[in-house]
Amino acid sequence: MEEKVIICKELTKKFGDFIAVDKISFEVNKGEIFGFLGANGAGKTTAMRMLCGLSFPSSGEASVAGFNVYRQQQYIKRNIGYMSQKFSLYEDLTILENIRFFGGVYGVPAKEIKRRSNSLVEKLGLQSEAKKKVGDLPLGWKQKLAFSVAIFHQPKIVFLDEPTGGVDPVTRRQFWDMIYEAAASGITIFVTTHYMDEAEYCNRITVMVDGKIEALDTPQNLKKQFAVKSIDDVFYQLARGAKRSAD
Amino acid sequence: MRVLRYILQKEFLQIFRDKSILAMMFVMPTIQLIIIPLAMNFDVKDINIAIVDNDHSSLSQKLVTKVGASGYFRYINAGTSYQKALPYIENGAADMIMEIPAGFERNLVREGIQKIAISVDGINGTKAALGAGYLNSVIADFNKNLQLNIIAITKQPAAQPVIDITFSNWYNPLSEYKYYIVPGVLVLLLTLIGGFISALNIVKEKEAGTIEQINVTPVKKWEFIAGKMVPFWVIGMIVFTLGLIVTWAVYGIFPEGSFGVLYLFAAVYLVALLGFGLLISTYSANQLQAMFIAFFFMMIFMLMSGLFTSVESMPAWAGAIAHLTPITHFIKVVRMIVLKGSDLGDIKTEFFYMILFAVVLNGWAIWNYKKTT
């Protein structure tokens, strides 16, 4: 039996009368690339924030890396990486300073920070930019850097919230190469997106509509199940029924 | 502790990256401390006085000369009657009118009593009260000499027992305004700088979205708040030191009491103040909100802290508010240490008060900063 790193049972989040996430249940295996699809406002980010320990669920159960999302957020946070929709490295710090800070607060030893940041900068080809402020980098590089920082402390799971928004196709492709590489090293990837071609890269995908999970399987099986050629069509069939207007 | 070191390193890097803000934090209070006390002078001089002399006698001339010689007044030529002089008050050219009635000298010599009329422009309350007060004392002095004058004229010994009051101002012998105001302004400037930079800081991370990245790390809440606090505390202590240097170099005021006590109190005060700023920051959603909230409280601090007015003479409710603001206690203590030479024993009530402020405000800020919502 495969190791489950995320277990979710009827997880719900309400904001007043509004049910943002409605009793979602799923499990994610170790080393898997797990895609979370849905229109804007479907509840993807809210679900992800609960799993990251940024938001208390209203009801339901969930554990991440073996820790409870109600009581053990501190332990969860030690074992995950997170990259939000909004670029959130310090723009007034340099690449190396950002890496050192985030590596430091996750408890990576100083020597290790130095070694890993050198190899990281080399891998990203940012040697000449390493001492420049992050705010001056082009968006595509920023995103790649943000992802690298999110997995710098070698977490068990990394949560990516629409990581490729606004990025050109070539960079997106490179970005997904990085995701594959991270998955190959044993990091579980939990990624939300609304690029349907990206969905095809995932091992399994779920489609969220109006806070509920409407489909969950491998891309191949889903296409078979809905008798369509692409995930795009799967998504269209499911999302067509959505009541919530996109924000 | 190791995590805190990384946070501090990052905070210091960010502060030192923006050189212009850094310079402003030190230069602005220094310049203001040099300028503001010079302008905030409550000693009233050059009161414009219109004198209507209807008597034209030697005694009335003497009184007019005496008023002029006091140094506080400046004559305004406002005509020969009260009616003519009144428009000068109305248009602001004169602050007061003194009308000497006809028969002034005759009545004084014959009956020993004579009233004169003083009309004061009451719009500027301070100037009116002080001006009337000065004029009263000039006339009282004139009265005293009058006895001698009359005695000289009539050759009659008139021994009237008089209680003569002499008094001395302790801690500020010349009753100079600067001794009172400069230490207070120093505290105020320190409060403004510390209050605003701390109030705007966490909320800046909220706006940039970087706080979310912090919230998803295992950084503890107290580590985050302490990481924000320490760099501003260091800056605050430097600003305070600069202020003391200006106080000494420009105004010649050197603390009578010990520097140890002064710095000990300043250290605790800054923790309380910065805790308050960070508290505002945790409650605000953006920098504009934080700015307005900080501004609201800074105005209260400025006007209710006993900097300009005495806390003891405020209405009870206002006094209660004044005592609930940390700055009130710091202003009081700085004045006590700098002017009076008070030691730790004299200020221990304020000191414990301040520790309480520091603990409550920072505890509140840590409590209100939520990593999970």
Side-chain angles (χ1 to χ4, degrees):
Chain A
M1 192 181 141
E2 278 185 284
E3 191 188 337
K4 309 280 186 215
V5 289
I6 301 175
I7 302 167
C8 224
K9 277 189 199 124
E10 308 219 315
L11 196 65
T12 302
K13 180 79 184 188
K14 291 180 190 165
F15 297 104
D17 288 341
F18 179 72
I19 303 169
V21 174
D22 194 1
K23 293 184 183 166
I24 58 169
S25 303
F26 61 87
E27 289 172 349
V28 179
N29 301 319
K30 187 177 187 302
E32 195 173 20
I33 300 177
F34 191 80
F36 226 56
L37 275 64
N40 290 331
K44 304 185 298 283
T45 301
T46 309
M48 183 182 266
R49 285 172 56 85
M50 284 191 280
L51 296 176
C52 290
L54 287 172
S55 170
F56 286 110
S58 305
S59 63
E61 285 300 320
S63 78
V64 175
F67 299 107
N68 185 289
V69 291
Y70 289 95
R71 293 180 303 274
Q72 296 172 306
Q73 291 113 338
Q74 202 64 8
Y75 296 100
I76 291 177
K77 286 170 185 176
R78 262 179 227 163
N79 288 290
I80 62 168
Y82 174 73
M83 177 184 170
S84 72
Q85 292 173 8
K86 202 172 167 187
F87 179 72
S88 51
L89 297 184
Y90 290 95
E91 304 226 344
D92 51 350
L93 296 181
T94 67
I95 293 174
L96 288 176
E97 286 162 353
N98 267 295
I99 295 173
R100 186 178 59 197
F101 171 67
F102 284 106
V105 297
Y106 277 110
V108 180
K111 260 192 192 156
E112 196 56 22
I113 291 178
K114 204 158 205 177
R115 193 184 63 77
R116 282 194 221 166
S117 49
N118 286 339
S119 67
L120 173 61
V121 165
E122 207 169 306
K123 201 179 85 189
L124 293 174
L126 291 172
Q127 290 97 326
S128 55
E129 268 79 20
K131 292 199 169 131
K132 278 191 193 156
K133 281 187 216 166
V134 163
D136 300 334
L137 292 178
L139 182 68
W141 290 13
K142 279 184 181 173
Q143 298 299 79
K144 283 195 264 182
L145 180 65
F147 176 71
S148 307
V149 170
I151 58 165
F152 188 80
H153 57 289
Q154 297 169 343
K156 290 196 176 126
I157 309 158
V158 63
F159 290 88
L160 310 171
D161 195 3
E162 291 176 21
T164 53
V167 168
D168 67 77
V170 176
T171 311
R172 265 171 60 198
R173 197 54 213 249
Q174 292 168 342
F175 196 94
W176 274 90
D177 289 341
M178 290 173 75
I179 291 180
Y180 272 111
E181 199 182 318
S185 76
I187 298 175
T188 307
I189 314 279
F190 187 105
V191 56
T192 74
T193 182
H194 42 218
Y195 291 112
M196 292 309 138
D197 59 327
E198 289 186 352
E200 309 260 6
Y201 301 147
C202 299
N203 298 128
R204 283 193 306 153
I205 53 174
T206 63
V207 180
M208 263 187 101
V209 179
D210 288 353
K212 294 190 181 73
I213 289 181
E214 293 292 338
L216 195 172
D217 213 328
T218 61
Q220 289 74 22
N221 288 349
L222 281 180
K223 279 185 276 188
K224 225 178 279 167
Q225 186 188 334
F226 285 84
V228 288
K229 284 201 187 69
S230 70
I231 292 296
D232 217 0
D233 295 328
V234 174
F235 183 75
Y236 188 68
Q237 283 203 11
L238 288 168
R240 203 165 39 182
K243 304 248 175 354
R244 287 184 203 163
S245 57
D247 51 20
Chain B
M1 270 313 164
R2 205 180 149 265
V3 171
L4 186 59
R5 218 183 63 220
Y6 281 102
I7 298 176
L8 285 175
Q9 183 182 41
K10 167 224 155 214
E11 295 293 338
F12 274 109
L13 272 173
Q14 287 185 303
I15 290 172
F16 283 95
R17 193 121 304 167
D18 197 338
K19 292 277 191 301
S20 52
I21 290 280
L22 191 67
M24 276 191 256
M25 285 191 280
F26 297 123
V27 174
M28 276 179 6
T30 308
I31 294 176
Q32 285 174 324
L33 188 59
I34 294 172
I35 296 172
I36 293 173
L38 296 175
M40 288 205 311
N41 195 334
F42 279 177
D43 297 338
V44 174
K45 282 182 185 143
D46 296 332
I47 302 160
N48 295 320
I49 189 166
I51 297 181
V52 180
D53 186 357
N54 295 320
D55 196 41
H56 299 292
S57 60
S58 67
L59 264 187
S60 73
Q61 274 309 310
K62 237 178 208 158
L63 178 57
V64 171
T65 316
K66 194 164 179 69
V67 168
S70 70
Y72 293 113
F73 299 98
R74 199 162 56 194
Y75 297 130
I76 297 292
N77 188 2
T80 51
S81 74
Y82 184 75
Q83 276 68 29
K84 279 183 186 160
L86 201 55
Y88 284 82
I89 292 245
E90 284 165 2
N91 67 24
D95 299 312
M96 55 199 329
I97 302 171
M98 181 172 79
E99 189 187 16
I100 303 172
F104 174 77
E105 187 180 70
R106 192 185 60 225
N107 288 343
L108 266 181
V109 174
R110 276 198 202 150
E111 295 164 25
I113 189 161
Q114 172 61 51
K115 286 184 174 159
I116 60 174
I118 299 169
S119 309
V120 184
D121 177 3
I123 288 179
N124 185 337
T126 315
K127 206 169 181 183
L130 282 172
Y134 291 154
L135 195 57
N136 264 327
S137 62
V138 170
I139 293 170
D141 200 37
F142 179 76
N143 265 335
K144 225 172 19 182
N145 293 328
L146 195 61
Q147 299 280 338
L148 303 174
N149 285 339
I150 295 171
I151 292 162
I153 295 166
T154 58
K155 308 271 190 229
Q156 278 175 13
Q160 220 167 30
V162 172
I163 297 172
D164 198 11
I165 302 165
T166 61
F167 60 94
S168 52
N169 293 308
W170 279 63
Y171 314 119
N172 187 0
L174 297 175
S175 195
E176 277 187 80
Y177 195 65
K178 67 177 186 185
Y179 287 103
Y180 176 70
I181 208 73
V182 174
V185 172
L186 165 60
V187 171
L188 179 65
L189 293 173
L190 180 67
T191 305
L192 290 178
I193 291 286
F196 277 114
I197 55 175
S198 55
L200 290 178
N201 193 279
I202 294 179
V203 75
K204 193 172 134 197
E205 294 223 14
K206 283 189 197 171
E207 275 187 1
T210 48
I211 196 142
E212 184 119 320
Q213 203 65 48
I214 294 286
N215 288 346
V216 84
T217 67
V219 169
K220 293 185 181 71
K221 298 203 302 181
W222 74 265
E223 289 171 330
F224 182 70
I225 297 285
K228 296 289 178 191
M229 164 85 58
V230 172
F232 295 143
W233 185 88
V234 172
I235 288 170
M237 290 306 263
I238 297 173
V239 169
F240 185 63
T241 307
L242 278 176
L244 285 177
I245 293 172
V246 170
T247 307
W248 167 72
V250 177
Y251 298 99
I253 302 170
F254 194 81
E256 293 283 332
S258 90
F259 276 99
V261 179
L262 197 56
Y263 271 92
L264 179 67
F265 202 91
V268 180
Y269 173 70
L270 273 172
V271 175
L273 170 72
L274 296 173
F276 182 68
L278 294 176
L279 179 63
I280 291 178
S281 218
T282 60
Y283 273 107
S284 313
N286 55 56
Q287 295 194 58
L288 193 64
Q289 274 183 16
M291 194 77 187
F292 270 109
I293 298 172
F295 188 70
F296 171 78
F297 283 105
M298 288 303 160
M299 286 304 284
I300 291 178
F301 288 0
M302 211 183 289
L303 298 174
M304 296 189 75
S305 58
L307 175 59
F308 306 111
T309 50
S310 154
V311 174
E312 284 74 20
S313 50
M314 287 177 188
W317 62 267
I321 294 175
H323 281 292
L324 281 174
T325 58
I327 187 177
T328 308
H329 303 280
F330 193 37
I331 288 181
K332 186 175 170 192
V333 164
V334 165
R335 281 180 178 153
M336 283 170 78
I337 298 173
V338 171
L339 303 180
K340 245 189 198 177
S342 302
D343 59 27
L344 198 55
D346 302 318
I347 61 157
K348 64 173 186 291
T349 316
E350 275 77 18
F351 189 66
F352 286 124
Y353 231 145
M354 200 53 74
I355 290 178
L356 190 68
F357 273 124
V359 171
V360 169
L361 289 169
N362 284 287
W364 190 354
I366 292 171
W367 174 80
N368 191 50
Y369 163 48
K370 299 221 161 44
K371 287 189 72 185
T372 308
T373 52

